[in-house]
């Protein structure tokens, strides 16, 4: 008889583009999210947890970066008898579900509705290094408030949040722009076509990557990219490109103007004025943003903001939508300045466009400005950790009525990486006290010890593997990063004592100490069984102080 | 020209069987999970968050309740060029992913590996009232420990967890059984067939629903169920059924024996002994479990446990596996008693079988024993909130090597419902202080106020809707359950004051007060603008004390 073939063993692998998170990775994220939730709550935002699964119909097609292949969602069709079940999908962000939730529950929800949400989202994209198909987002949105005060609030909340989780002032900047201003500029150059406008938007968004020259080429005929491939341009004329670039480069233009004014003031002998104009000029420069002379000069910050807004005003000509956009930015700035959020924390920056097609007004982006070394060992700024804006059309898809909405999404993993980079994460890597097993028939004694330790609030466990090899038990304690091991063999039991090993000190002595130090500072202590808790606590406290 | 047809609007609905969670529902669950994580951490367990998506191959077919239609997972096939992409699915529990994680990372993980996990799982089942297709689980497992000390630890941890989240001792019981004992009983009646054994298991599991008579019928020829349908039985003979029922009913049998002994002792004039036997008899009875005479009588609890184990020993005859099972239960009991977990908290109960096929040794179940009223207004015990057991074969699927494992899963939503039922959830329904908008041009002033309040740690917001109708603003504050509203109109601004309304007191006065009380206890106060924070804080503290 032929041998029956066994089914092959399943592979123990996460699907491509997915990963597992262990121990401190999980708890550190949870703690950061809890701090963020605290700020959101203080601002009056309520928690919302919608289901991970939505109908494809409800999700709609608002995925960013629509020009990338393999874009999309994880979707499947519901089983039903006639094969016409609904198509369901995993949510790809937290905004599309919010629009659905608000449309569904709008009669029960307060208006405006401020909500925050935290959780995983899924993207059916080609995975790459450090690029996962499941990741966390953390959003806050206000639905039903047309006032730009709602946008300003999102910006100040974002600023507070970054400081709350441990990014010091000066190490971040929240940039604000307004789609309407850009639309105004495009109106002045006679660009009405929506497709063309979207292309311009996507091109400007590459400013950080390809620089001014690159954007100029891409807005015009096109350019050779680094790989040698020719990228077709949007096809604007030079006369059309110029105002767009002046818009994107407003930052540099205003700095230039202020430098000119300052040197004129100096010529006229108005030294104080010249110095203030100089401070205004550097109000948003990363290298000076946290110097007290600038951060505390309210007048300089006001000058900066006013000049940027005036510059934009010039660019939008007679455009009504452009005028409205500048007015909104002016209101946002006033509100923020009145609450103490100057341009050293939140600044107007016309180079921010945000890729998503659905934004209709103000857009925001939070960037961390300290430097890190990238994979290739080059210094670069950490970059963006959050973004958002106003989207007045998302709920309308469901209800037919326009519902104003604005919000922000924090890139949880990037922010966590930044905090680790800055050493702002309290380490939770400390393992439990390990009670070793010298005599497997006395498990009852060891369990009683560990119960005592736990009842005293000390993280502790009995070694539950095969106790035969004592060396394995200490190796295990080492792998667990245990601070202390407890040993009670037959002799100890008979004498009513236990051995307590300070594993942290032990490791340090083993590494560095001379023989004299070794003798002077023993890392193992014999104490009466009744002193177990007190001695363990003493050692743990000593380690915490060290 | 024909009018272009517009696409119909998408429906704003969660998919069938899914739901949204709002505000306090989210934060209360998060707080409960945090407390549970605290206990797990103290026991030396490390957090693990695996991806929500697994390959269908890795998940395997371990779903419970295999006899139900529409069982299963949400699954889809990966896109690739030749249509042979992997099948992926949402996890249906947290145990199958743990087996995959351990097999994948076993060289980097400590052994034994203690881990906890919390998060949603998905079941592609027919939804019903209160039955959702996405729900939370919260698991703790020890992988790589063959010792029953690991099972005992899971039980004591479960007991600690229930008390930590707010279930008082006496209101819960952790029941422990051992599959091996049941297998021993089945061996003695000559039942070797795996399918038949599984049917017996599923039948016993219905004990709570159909009672002893029902189980007897279902183990034999079958029975008419409540709807009038005839359910086929397993087909055992009466001689086979008897030992199975004695096993399931061990509880009652042991109580009967103890009652008999007690009355004999009384006849012999041994009053103290008779009373202790009576206390032993009631050691696990819900109505006496929390009475001090019984809960503190260690000897009575030992007697109970010993008698149950002796009873089981009788039932398994010469079965080797049965003998092993009883020995394991004896060890677990000893370990637990030594740590102070008597049968009033954790008891041996042979009626616990747990539906899942994959358990191989000890099984546990935590039940809440206080009474609630069900949908039909009938009193009943709250019932099961957690369960688990030992499963030594799950990792073997991947590696070919048997890896012992044991763990527990808490039904998060049921436990949360229990805590609400017991009034053990601190309410978080308090809304923010609402700063009303009397003059929309002075938004800057209102935002500054709200910033002051937030900086003082007070949850606060400005009304961001259309401010024209002041009544709408107060209605909004009401819907938000705001404790306090702040009002600053033109007159107040001119006089440097603000109006502060105590909305909680206001609502109470409006409901109950006589005109005199109304006059004596005003709910609106005019204070200098500079006293805003102090007065709001005073009112909030007063409300908290009330």
């Amino acid at each position: 008889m032929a041998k029956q073939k066994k089914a092959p063993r399943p592979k123990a692998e996460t699907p491509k583009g997915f990963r597992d998170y262990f121990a401190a990775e999980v708890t550190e994220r949870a703690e950061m999210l809890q701090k963020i939730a605290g700020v959101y709550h203080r601002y009056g935002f309520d928690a919302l947890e919608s289901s991970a699964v939505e109908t494809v119909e409800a999700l709609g097609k608002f995925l960013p970066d629509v020009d990338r292949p393999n874009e999309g969602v994880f979707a499947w069709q519901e089983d039903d008898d006639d094969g016409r079940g609904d198509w369901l999908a995993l949510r790809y962000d937290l905004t599309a579900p919010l629009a659905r939730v608000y449309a569904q529950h709008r009669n029960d929800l307060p208006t405006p509705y401020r909500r925050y949400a935290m959780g995983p989202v899924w993207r059916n994209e080609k995975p790459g290094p450090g690029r996962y198909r499941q990741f966390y987002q953390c959003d806050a949105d206000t639905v039903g408030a047309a006032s730009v005060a709602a946008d300003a609030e999102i910006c100040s909340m974002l600023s507070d949040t970054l400081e709350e989780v441990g990014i010091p002032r000066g190490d971040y900047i929240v940039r604000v722009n307004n789609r309407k201003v850009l639309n105004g500029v495009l109106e002045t150059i006679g660009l009405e076509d929506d497709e063309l406008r979207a292309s311009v938007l996507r091109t400007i968004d590459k400013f950080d990557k390809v620089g001014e020259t690159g954007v100029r080429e891409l807005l015009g005929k096109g350019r050779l990219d680094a790989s040698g491939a020719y990228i077709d341009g949007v096809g604007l004329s030079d006369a059309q490109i110029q105002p767009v670039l002046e818009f994107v480069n407003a930052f540099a233009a205003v700095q230039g103007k202020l430098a000119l004014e300052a040197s004129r003031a100096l010529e006229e002998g108005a030294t104080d004025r010249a110095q203030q104009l100089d401070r205004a000029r550097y109000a948003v420069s990363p290298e000076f943003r946290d110097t007290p002379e600038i951060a505390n000069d309210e007048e300089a910050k006001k000058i900066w903001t006013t000049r940027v807004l005036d510059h934009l005003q010039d660019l939008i000509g007679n455009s009504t939508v452009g005028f409205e956009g500048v007015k909104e930015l002016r209101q946002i700035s006033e509100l923020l300045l009145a609450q103490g959020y100057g341009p050293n924390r939140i600044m107007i920056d016309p180079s921010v466009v945000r890729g998503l097609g659905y934004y209709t007004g103000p857009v925001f982006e939070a960037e961390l400005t300290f430097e890190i070394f990238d994979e290739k060992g080059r210094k670069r700024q950490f970059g963006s950790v959050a973004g958002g804006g106003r989207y007045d059309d998302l709920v309308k898809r469901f209800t037919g009525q326009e519902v104003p909405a604005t919000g922000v999404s924090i890139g949880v993993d990037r922010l966590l990486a930044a905090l680790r980079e800055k050493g702002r994460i309290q380490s939770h890597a400390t393992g439990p006290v390990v009670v070793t097993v010298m005599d497997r028939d006395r498990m009852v004694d060891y369990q009683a010890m560990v119960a005592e330790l736990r009842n005293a609030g000390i993280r502790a466990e009995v070694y539950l593997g095969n106790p035969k090899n004592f060396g394995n038990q200490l190796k295990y304690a080492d792998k667990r990063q245990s601070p202390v091991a407890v040993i009670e063999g037959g002799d100890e039991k008979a004498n009513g004592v236990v051995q307590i090993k300070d594993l942290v000190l032990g490791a340090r002595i083993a590494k560095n100490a001379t023989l004299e130090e070794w003798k002077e500072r023993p890392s193992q202590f014999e104490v009466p069984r009744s002193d177990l808790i007190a001695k363990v606590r003493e050692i743990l406290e000593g380690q915490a102080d060290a």
Side-chain angles (χ1 to χ4, degrees), chain A:
Chain A
M1 228 166 73
K3 255 193 186 167
Q4 209 186 329
K5 253 198 185 165
K6 264 192 158 177
R9 283 192 208 127
K11 280 198 270 316
E13 282 173 8
T14 41
K16 280 182 208 80
F18 291 88
R19 56 161 295 194
D20 304 311
Y21 296 83
F22 293 92
E25 291 177 314
V26 179
T27 48
E28 286 165 7
R29 180 174 56 205
E31 274 174 33
M32 186 185 82
L33 289 176
Q34 210 185 335
K35 280 184 195 161
I36 296 176
V39 178
Y40 288 179
H41 182 79
R42 201 160 72 232
Y43 268 79
F45 286 67
D46 275 344
L48 168 68
E49 185 171 325
S50 62
S51 59
V53 178
E54 297 275 350
T55 63
V56 165
E57 179 190 353
L59 281 183
K61 292 184 190 299
F62 285 94
L63 265 175
D65 301 317
V66 284
D67 51 349
R68 200 173 332 116
N70 283 324
E71 62 162 23
V73 295
F74 292 105
W76 62 90
Q77 194 174 16
E78 285 262 66
D79 287 335
D80 69 358
D81 297 332
D82 56 3
R84 278 193 237 155
D86 287 339
W87 275 88
L88 305 184
L90 291 175
R91 65 183 178 206
Y92 57 80
D93 73 2
L94 300 172
T95 311
L98 170 63
R100 193 267 304 152
V101 167
Y102 185 80
Q104 182 172 349
H105 301 282
R106 62 191 184 281
N107 293 329
D108 303 318
L109 292 171
T111 297
Y113 175 49
R114 286 175 173 91
R115 86 88 180 79
Y116 69 87
M118 317 180 145
V121 302
W122 294 265
R123 301 264 170 99
N124 190 1
E125 299 176 321
K126 222 185 170 79
R131 184 188 180 86
Y132 295 102
R133 302 205 287 176
Q134 169 178 332
F135 52 92
Y136 265 75
Q137 284 192 341
C138 169
D139 286 23
D141 295 79
T142 302
V143 181
S147 163
V148 290
D151 302 283
E153 180 178 81
I154 294 282
C155 292
S156 62
M157 187 165 74
L158 186 52
S159 169
D160 284 6
T161 298
L162 293 174
E163 294 184 18
E164 178 80 19
V165 299
I167 304 290
R169 203 170 293 182
D171 268 355
Y172 72 90
I173 186 79
V174 177
R175 303 171 188 280
V176 186
N177 192 9
N178 194 325
R179 278 285 167 84
K180 290 178 184 171
V181 180
L182 177 61
N183 285 340
V185 174
L186 299 181
E187 207 175 290
T188 62
I189 62 169
L191 210 69
E192 300 284 343
D193 182 70
D194 279 348
E195 293 269 320
L196 266 181
R197 284 185 171 203
S199 301
V200 170
L201 213 88
R202 279 200 296 277
T203 306
I204 296 176
D205 211 14
K206 293 177 186 148
F207 192 84
D208 280 350
K209 270 190 225 154
V210 300
E212 185 178 338
T213 317
V215 168
R216 185 184 293 275
E217 289 169 349
L218 286 171
L219 285 174
K221 290 189 188 124
R223 78 191 286 260
L224 278 177
D225 78 0
S227 71
Y230 193 82
I231 312 290
D232 280 337
V234 180
L236 303 191
S237 70
D238 285 352
Q240 285 176 311
I241 293 173
Q242 194 52 36
V244 175
L245 282 178
E246 276 185 43
F247 170 77
V248 177
N249 260 335
F251 189 98
V254 173
Q255 283 196 321
K257 278 189 204 168
L258 284 167
L260 202 66
E261 267 188 76
S263 71
R264 267 192 217 133
L266 210 56
E267 278 169 24
E268 290 162 12
T271 322
D272 286 359
R273 176 74 184 152
Q275 282 176 348
Q276 184 156 63
L277 287 167
D278 258 345
R279 286 196 296 274
R281 175 183 162 200
Y282 291 118
V284 297
S285 296
E287 59 273 41
F288 296 114
R289 225 153 35 206
D290 48 346
T291 60
E293 290 94 332
I294 288 172
N296 301 330
D297 186 341
E298 298 307 323
E299 187 55 29
K301 290 188 277 184
K302 253 184 221 166
I303 293 173
W304 168 262
T305 305
T306 311
R307 294 304 166 89
V308 172
L309 290 165
D310 290 348
H311 179 79
L312 294 178
Q313 188 80 57
D314 289 346
L315 286 177
I316 49 100
N318 293 322
S319 160
T320 314
V321 64
F323 181 79
E324 206 180 317
V326 175
K327 188 175 139 204
E328 288 178 2
L329 283 180
R330 212 177 283 276
Q331 287 171 330
I332 291 174
S333 301
E334 275 170 22
L335 286 167
L336 289 172
L337 278 172
Q339 293 172 71
Y341 298 89
N344 55 329
R345 289 201 269 169
I346 307 175
M347 74 181 214
I348 310 283
D349 183 346
S351 75
V352 174
V353 293
R354 308 283 309 152
L356 267 70
Y358 61 59
Y359 292 126
T360 53
V363 286
F364 346 110
E365 194 161 85
E367 204 175 299
L368 304 189
T369 51
F370 58 85
E371 288 181 324
I372 53 161
F373 292 96
D374 68 11
E375 320 81 60
K376 292 180 182 162
R378 289 173 307 207
K379 259 192 172 182
R380 62 167 184 80
Q381 292 212 334
F382 190 90
S384 173
V385 290
R390 177 165 286 276
Y391 51 99
D392 287 345
D393 296 332
L394 272 189
V395 177
K396 190 181 177 185
R397 287 182 59 231
F398 296 101
T399 62
Q401 290 165 325
E402 196 166 283
V403 177
T406 184
V408 69
S409 180
I410 292 178
V412 173
D413 296 317
R414 278 188 62 75
L415 184 54
L416 202 52
L419 293 172
R420 291 204 180 104
E421 190 74 39
K422 292 292 273 184
R424 289 305 175 119
I425 297 269
Q426 230 193 316
S427 175
H428 293 272
T430 306
V433 170
V434 169
V435 175
T436 58
V437 175
M438 298 299 284
D439 177 355
R440 74 163 78 204
D441 290 336
R442 287 202 297 106
M443 193 52 109
V444 160
D445 291 342
Y446 303 126
Q447 288 286 7
M449 272 187 216
V450 99
E452 265 179 56
L453 287 162
R454 287 167 182 161
N455 289 339
I458 297 168
R459 190 180 193 207
E461 53 172 60
V462 170
Y463 179 71
L464 287 181
N466 186 336
K468 225 166 60 184
N469 181 333
F470 188 69
N472 278 349
Q473 298 197 44
L474 290 185
K475 266 185 218 155
Y476 171 83
D478 191 45
K479 199 156 198 176
R480 296 292 328 257
Q481 301 185 269
S482 301
V484 167
V486 178
I487 304 165
E488 187 200 56
D491 288 349
E492 282 88 6
K493 175 74 178 174
N495 297 326
V497 297
V498 287
Q499 303 286 341
I500 301 180
K501 257 178 119 68
D502 180 336
L503 298 174
V504 175
L505 183 60
R508 214 163 46 225
I509 290 176
K511 224 186 203 168
N512 304 316
T514 62
L515 190 64
E516 280 69 43
E517 284 168 331
W518 181 288
K519 280 183 190 155
E520 271 167 37
R521 299 202 58 189
S523 66
Q524 185 164 331
F525 312 88
E526 183 176 296
V527 300
R529 169 67 178 81
S530 54
D531 290 353
L532 170 69
I533 305 296
K535 187 67 193 175
V536 168
R537 187 172 276 147
E538 182 194 314
I539 294 175
L540 292 177
E541 279 164 7
Q543 290 174 353
D545 292 343

